[in-house]
Amino acid sequence: MSQIDGIALTGNVVLDAIIKNGYDEAKKQDVTYEFIPGNVTYGENIIISCATIIDSVLKVALDFAKEAKKKWVYLSLRQNEGMIIIKCDFSKNKEKKLGVNNNIFSKVTENERELKIIKSLAEEKQGTIDIQNKDFEGNIDILLNTL
């Protein structure tokens, strides 16, 4: 694995550009950012979905983390038995809730839009998304079927 500015990379040009962009955004917002790549074999059928999901996850995570007292985002990517696992943990304010409001009369936020994109792409790849909303931490875990 190679590195840019101390950030470990995947070896895939598209994913590495998104991960590096996340690093640059985190640096601008004074957010601690760590990416942990695993051994992942990328097929053409999964790479665009993976890249789009990671981009959306980083947008959500950085938006929450920039308003927290302790600002941090941890992102990992790995493969296990035909599944790609994307895990993102990040700091947040207790008052700000992570999730999608299903009230049709409510204005859709940018974070809700990004979460809907993630959910749609995960379902397209016979995968799942799990969102955890804790007081000062948010977690987004995505499983994608590579078979």
Side-chain angles (χ1 to χ4, degrees), residues 18-67:
I18 290 168
I19 290 160
K20 174 69 168 87
N21 185 59
Y23 170 78
D24 292 341
E25 286 300 312
K27 198 172 179 181
K28 285 180 198 172
Q29 298 173 17
D30 198 30
V31 174
T32 300
Y33 175 86
E34 184 177 346
F35 172 66
I36 304 162
N39 293 326
V40 178
T41 306
Y42 304 101
E44 286 185 34
N45 65 333
I46 196 86
I47 193 64
I48 298 301
S49 295
C50 243
T52 304
I53 287 170
I54 289 173
D55 185 51
S56 292
V57 164
L58 284 172
K59 286 176 183 173
V60 171
L62 287 168
D63 185 60
F64 275 87
K66 73 182 180 187
E67 297 175 6

Side-chain angles (χ1 to χ4, degrees), residues 21-22 30 39 46 48 55 70 92 96-97 109 120 129 131:
N21 185 59
D30 198 30
N39 293 326
I46 196 86
I48 298 301
D55 185 51
K70 293 183 179 181
K92 62 183 249 346
K96 195 167 181 182
K97 301 297 179 202
T109 67
S120 173
I129 177 173
I131 299 171

Side-chain angles (χ1 to χ4, degrees), residues 1-2 4 15 17 37 66 68-69 71 75 83 85 88 107-108 120 129 137:
M1 300 276 163
S2 59
I4 296 177
L15 284 176
K66 73 182 180 187
K69 282 185 181 181
K71 303 174 182 190
L75 175 68
M83 298 296 285
I85 302 157
C88 187
K107 180 181 174 192
V108 176
S120 173
I129 177 173
E137 181 179 332

Side-chain angles (χ1 to χ4, degrees), residues 63-133:
D63 185 60
F64 275 87
K66 73 182 180 187
E67 297 175 6
K69 282 185 181 181
K70 293 183 179 181
K71 303 174 182 190
W72 52 268
V73 172
Y74 300 117
L75 175 68
S76 66
L77 174 67
R78 63 186 174 91
Q79 188 169 357
N80 188 12
E81 297 180 15
M83 298 296 285
I84 290 182
I85 302 157
I86 302 167
K87 182 169 179 50
C88 187
D89 302 320
F90 50 92
S91 59
K92 62 183 249 346
N93 283 335
K94 184 176 183 177
E95 297 79 29
K96 195 167 181 182
K97 301 297 179 202
L98 174 65
V100 176
N101 182 352
N102 291 319
N103 182 342
I104 61 171
F105 300 108
S106 296
K107 180 181 174 192
V108 176
T109 67
E110 186 62 32
N111 286 331
E112 289 174 321
R113 193 175 354 273
E114 296 296 340
L115 290 170
K116 287 180 180 183
I117 290 169
I118 296 165
K119 184 177 188 278
S120 173
L121 287 169
E123 288 173 352
E124 182 181 298
K125 297 297 180 191
Q126 294 83 44
T128 61
I129 177 173
D130 181 43
I131 299 171
Q132 298 291 319
N133 192 49

